[in-house]
Amino acid sequence: MSFSWFISVDDHLIEPARLWQERLPEKWRETGPRIVREDKSEFWVYEDRQIVTTGLNAVAGKKREEFSPEPITYEEMRLGCYDPAARVADMNQGHVLSSMLFPSLPRYCGQIFHEAKDKELALLCVRAWNDFILEEFAQAYPGRFIPMMIIPLWDPVAAAAEIERTAALGAKSIAFSENPTKLGLPSIHTDFWDPVFRACDDTGFVISMHVGSSSNMIRTSEDMPTLAFMAYSAAANQAGTLLDWLFSGNFVKYSNLKIALSEGSIGWMPYFLERAEQVVDKQRFWASRFDISMNATHERGEQKGMATFDLDTDIRRLFRDHVYGTFIEDQAGIRLLDIIGEDNVMLECDYPHSDSTWPDTVQLAGKWLGHLPQDVQDKITVGNASRVYNFTPADPASIPES
């Protein structure tokens, strides 16, 4: 083992019950997100919805035999799931130098607020979540948290303003959807998102897209076995996201834009990069003249679309300069690192979810990475995240031993 600390670019916050009750203007607190307790159960109430916290999202400190998807209460979960000081103590125990937190109640990119009826309140809720992360995590514990923000997905102009506001306060990234069309929003191939992408390009914000941030995990059928679905869906979802972005033209339009595919792992990437290159090699000439629907029935009179493909597209360069994969456990991906690129992958531990390697990440990852040169290990565990997110992590020497 050649490293003692690492940056986790994908962890999760179970929002404390007090978050919106403390941070929303008083007149909104009775209608904003709040915890209701009935007998031995508790759930969030927001507008006309009642939302529980699933036990699989808060397993930190539990044995695998104790994992359950059934609803869980705050009393049943580890304090570090929702309390900033306790989270830092757990990070120290697991040698997590710095962490980036995705939301839970709002879902992975704030979908719940996009779905809300009252958009004035929803925008206030978005800002309250962001301020909570900035003030009670990033500012309270310098160098320990990479501040990632959520945005009002329904209003790109307001979203750009929120990016600019929070950038001035030290934020580094936004959570975005892996496929906005599944949320009823325009695709990344339209100009709808230009204000958001331009703001990220200007501020250096990374667009972080967590598996499931489309609220639509791919499955073969409705009765696909749950464990088969869990093994299949992450890579299936994010492979589509990767290809969508590589062929979108956005990386040419916004040369500073960077995306991170969060909790999607990396072992599948070499195949899809190779396949994308094969498609470009064989199909690029007609694709530079017009577009077609691959679901076409080949009937006479079919419409051809406008060409969107640039003959000069260099798939590998676009990937190298703009795309970053993250992984929890992926020994296949490590073996294919020469194809993916040592500068394009980052480690995560997924605290406090059921896929997490906390608190044993350093020991486990040391086995997978130990054969690599020291400089490569340093990149994957700390260096790449620091560079990609333009973030200065805490000095390990300043962290008390747990």
Side-chain angles (χ1 to χ4, degrees):
M1 182 174 63
S2 301
F3 62 93
S4 300
W5 293 85
F6 72 101
I7 293 177
S8 177
V9 293
D10 169 38
D11 291 320
H12 300 267
L13 167 71
I14 305 295
E15 289 79 15
R18 65 183 176 86
L19 195 159
W20 287 282
Q21 293 302 296
E22 288 182 355
R23 290 182 171 273
L24 285 175
E26 191 168 354
K27 73 171 186 174
W28 295 106
R29 292 177 187 174
E30 290 187 7
T31 51
R34 59 204 181 280
I35 285 288
V36 171
R37 295 176 175 85
E38 290 184 356
D39 298 325
K40 295 182 179 180
S41 65
E42 65 186 22
F43 49 87
W44 287 95
V45 173
Y46 178 48
E47 294 194 332
D48 57 355
R49 307 174 70 169
Q50 297 181 356
I51 303 166
V52 299
T53 299
T54 173
L56 294 179
N57 286 349
V59 305
K62 297 183 179 182
K63 298 178 181 178
R64 292 178 183 178
E65 294 81 359
E66 300 174 301
F67 290 7
S68 171
E70 295 177 323
I72 191 173
T73 67
Y74 286 100
E75 289 185 354
E76 297 171 301
M77 67 179 78
R78 191 178 181 91
L79 191 61
C81 294
Y82 59 90
D83 179 80
R87 172 60 67 91
V88 172
D90 281 354
M91 290 167 61
N92 293 349
Q93 180 182 341
H95 281 222
V96 184
L97 184 59
S98 308
S99 171
M100 192 170 76
L101 306 176
F102 282 87
S104 293
L105 174 69
R107 307 211 300 279
Y108 295 133
C109 65
Q111 297 104 299
I112 195 172
F113 300 127
H114 165 63
E115 297 160 355
K117 299 180 182 71
D118 189 333
K119 288 300 192 287
E120 181 182 1
L121 171 57
L123 179 57
L124 291 172
C125 289
V126 166
R127 290 175 176 167
W129 194 92
N130 290 343
D131 288 341
F132 179 72
I133 294 296
L134 286 165
E135 295 170 11
E136 298 199 36
F137 283 91
Q139 295 170 9
Y141 302 95
R144 302 307 302 273
F145 294 96
I146 303 173
M148 185 196 67
M149 306 288 95
I150 56 177
I151 58 173
L153 294 162
W154 62 93
D155 186 341
V157 174
E162 184 66 0
I163 290 169
E164 293 162 0
R165 180 185 79 87
T166 57
L169 299 172
K172 300 296 183 181
S173 178
I174 58 165
F176 191 69
S177 176
E178 63 192 350
N179 184 353
T181 68
K182 297 301 182 181
L183 305 180
L185 291 162
S187 78
I188 63 168
H189 308 294
T190 68
D191 61 4
F192 179 84
W193 297 107
D194 280 0
V196 172
F197 297 163
R198 187 178 304 111
C200 290
D201 189 63
D202 291 342
T203 59
F205 269 37
V206 178
I207 298 177
S208 299
M209 292 174 282
H210 196 284
V211 165
S213 55
S214 61
S215 299
N216 180 71
M217 296 294 283
I218 297 173
R219 62 177 71 224
T220 60
S221 62
E222 286 304 314
D223 56 355
M224 186 182 194
T226 300
L227 296 186
F229 163 71
M230 293 180 73
Y232 168 71
S233 56
N237 268 50
Q238 297 236 309
T241 300
L242 171 64
L243 295 172
D244 226 12
W245 276 86
L246 287 175
F247 287 95
S248 70
N250 286 317
F251 294 141
V252 176
K253 189 174 183 179
Y254 302 105
S255 60
N256 195 41
L257 210 56
K258 299 184 289 291
I259 67 169
L261 302 177
S262 304
E263 205 176 327
S265 217
I266 61 174
W268 53 270
M269 287 179 169
Y271 167 76
F272 283 99
L273 288 171
E274 183 176 286
R275 176 59 181 156
E277 287 187 313
Q278 291 169 354
V279 168
V280 168
D281 178 53
K282 296 178 176 64
Q283 318 294 342
R284 57 190 175 134
F285 293 107
W286 68 257
S288 67
R289 301 195 308 273
F290 59 86
D291 196 15
I292 60 171
S293 169
M294 293 308 292
N295 293 324
T297 58
H298 304 291
E299 295 181 12
R300 186 171 180 178
E302 287 174 349
Q303 295 293 315
K304 296 177 182 178
M306 292 181 59
T308 57
F309 177 73
D310 184 346
L311 270 172
D312 294 327
T313 298
D314 183 336
I315 293 296
R316 296 287 173 156
R317 180 184 59 78
L318 291 177
F319 180 86
R320 183 183 65 245
D321 294 347
H322 300 277
V323 182
Y324 302 89
T326 76
F327 70 97
I328 305 171
E329 300 180 70
D330 195 334
Q331 296 181 56
I334 295 302
R335 288 196 293 270
L336 296 168
L337 200 59
D338 59 326
I339 302 173
I340 304 168
E342 64 193 44
D343 296 317
N344 292 78
V345 298
M346 300 177 285
L347 187 60
E348 55 176 293
C349 75
D350 197 33
Y351 178 109
H353 284 191
S354 59
D355 265 341
S356 179
T357 52
W358 181 90
D360 303 316
T361 312
V362 168
Q363 291 80 5
L364 291 170
K367 297 176 182 178
W368 315 323
L369 305 178
H371 67 286
L372 298 173
Q374 186 62 51
D375 65 320
V376 177
Q377 294 187 51
D378 293 343
K379 287 180 180 182
I380 295 172
T381 56
V382 174
N384 288 343
S386 301
R387 172 179 53 83
V388 171
Y389 289 97
N390 189 27
F391 175 78
T392 302
D395 181 354
S398 69
I399 298 173
E401 293 188 12
S402 58

